[in-house]
Amino acid sequence: MEHQWRNADWNSIRVFLAVARLYSFRKAAEELGISVNTARRTISRLEDQLGYPLLYRESEGARLTDEGRRVVLAARDVESSVSDMWRVAALAEREASGPIRLAITEGLGSFWLTPRIVDYINETGAQNRIELQCAMRSVDVLRMEADISVQLEKPNRPELIVKRLGYLHLKPFASLSYLEKFGRPKTVADMVNHRVVEQQTDQLRGYELDKIFGPQIADRMVRMKTNFSSAHYWAIAKGAGIGLMPSYARAIGGDVEHIDLGFDFRVDIWLATHPEVAKSARHRAFIDFLTDSFDERKFPWFGPDSLSPEEIEERFSRKDLQSYFEGFTARS
């Protein structure tokens, strides 16, 4: 059976899948731009090659036999392989100067990575266009919605190449004007008397204050909720309330004050790419750049252990931190 299946040509498989999907020789022929007789002859020839019937021909259309249902599953694998083949060919064709499509969460993309991408382009002389998609949802790399994804949820598709880039540590921040007006909370319990700015996205569940304070108090505390990191930052910086931001927020120029309440939210940062994309030299070079951009030896705030904003500023001078933000890559 396997030997016979290997001898079947792709055109016959394509016609068979169309008939099986549409339950009709006529509809399949119209979709494929061939005559009904050609579709019938193609299926008959495929059945002769395999040695068993694939379809019942009925007055109301076509229906799969038991053998036909099994062959559909195998044929779809063939179809997927052919699609991958064309995808690889397309990648090879634009290898030298084609774009690199990166999907990344909006906060990491806008505030951390964009300045470094600019330096990557300027310093390497790369001719490839970087298409940066700052997405609040996880994109489907397997369906080529992006070449590479940097996200806060671990991809669950075993076909993807996945690795952890680092960790994002989120801590409470507020503006100086807010603290002067409402005071500085010392404990989590003190937060009952404060206003909160909450960020909630597909990849971040929000603060779940209802589990700590109860639904009614939590509803009163949250005075502003947004999904975008840029809006979240400006709401905090302008005094709307207290919100969670990356531990390096002040270090890269954020006009905010850290509030030490003794806790830290840690989120994994994951990189995912299609295995065929990873065969491309330009994509491999860009993946190396992304890995370097979250290297905890250079940027310890992406390591597994939490550093307070004060510790970050103690270990690195303000000048060095600004150099990092501007894409400084020479130090290790």
Side-chain angles (χ1 to χ4, degrees), residues 35-215:
S35 69
V36 175
N37 287 337
T38 298
R40 292 184 183 277
R41 285 196 302 269
T42 300
I43 299 301
S44 295
R45 186 167 61 249
L46 181 59
E47 289 174 327
D48 289 341
Q49 285 180 312
L50 296 175
Y52 45 78
L54 298 172
L55 296 162
Y56 295 117
R57 281 76 166 169
E58 300 173 340
S59 58
E60 62 271 21
R63 183 166 54 89
L64 286 168
T65 64
D66 290 340
E67 293 83 359
R69 277 191 286 272
R70 287 194 291 271
V71 170
V72 162
L73 296 177
R76 285 174 180 159
D77 288 339
V78 174
E79 185 179 40
S80 176
S81 297
V82 171
S83 297
D84 281 343
M85 179 186 70
W86 287 114
R87 212 159 28 224
V88 172
L91 285 170
E93 183 178 349
R94 64 177 196 265
E95 176 64 30
S97 59
I100 296 173
R101 300 178 303 145
L102 170 66
I104 185 170
T105 58
E106 189 247 349
L108 288 175
S110 298
F111 294 111
W112 178 253
L113 201 60
T114 292
R116 296 182 59 77
I117 289 177
V118 173
D119 279 351
Y120 173 80
I121 293 171
N122 292 336
E123 292 173 8
T124 65
Q127 298 301 306
N128 310 106
R129 180 174 71 249
I130 309 299
E131 297 182 358
L132 184 63
Q133 177 186 350
C134 292
M136 303 311 297
R137 64 180 182 86
S138 299
V139 303
D140 193 337
V141 176
L142 202 61
R143 298 182 119 193
M144 303 300 283
E145 291 181 356
D147 299 334
I148 305 166
S149 174
V150 175
Q151 57 193 67
L152 304 180
E153 290 181 319
K154 185 177 182 180
N156 56 12
R157 302 292 292 273
E159 304 95 325
L160 294 174
I161 296 175
V162 175
K163 70 174 181 179
R164 183 190 284 111
L165 285 178
Y167 304 86
L168 185 64
H169 297 272
L170 301 172
K171 296 179 180 294
F173 285 88
S175 70
L176 183 59
S177 62
Y178 175 88
L179 296 176
E180 289 174 347
K181 184 174 183 179
F182 296 99
R184 181 184 293 266
K186 298 288 193 338
T187 66
V188 173
D190 291 343
M191 287 295 296
V192 171
N193 300 312
H194 283 269
R195 304 189 314 199
V196 171
V197 178
E198 184 174 25
Q199 184 180 12
Q200 186 170 13
T201 73
D202 289 350
Q203 298 186 52
L204 288 172
R205 293 190 304 269
Y207 301 168
E208 299 183 336
L209 296 174
D210 57 329
K211 295 182 179 178
I212 303 172
F213 301 103

Side-chain angles (χ1 to χ4, degrees), residues 231-248:
H232 182 66
Y233 165 74
W234 282 113
I236 297 171
K238 292 298 181 180
I242 299 170
L244 297 182
M245 298 177 67
S247 56
Y248 56 83

Side-chain angles (χ1 to χ4, degrees), residues 171-173 184-188 190 257-264 308-310:
K171 296 179 180 294
F173 285 88
R184 181 184 293 266
K186 298 288 193 338
T187 66
V188 173
D190 291 343
E257 298 289 324
H258 174 225
I259 301 172
D260 187 2
L261 298 178
F263 68 87
D264 168 78
S308 71
E310 294 76 18

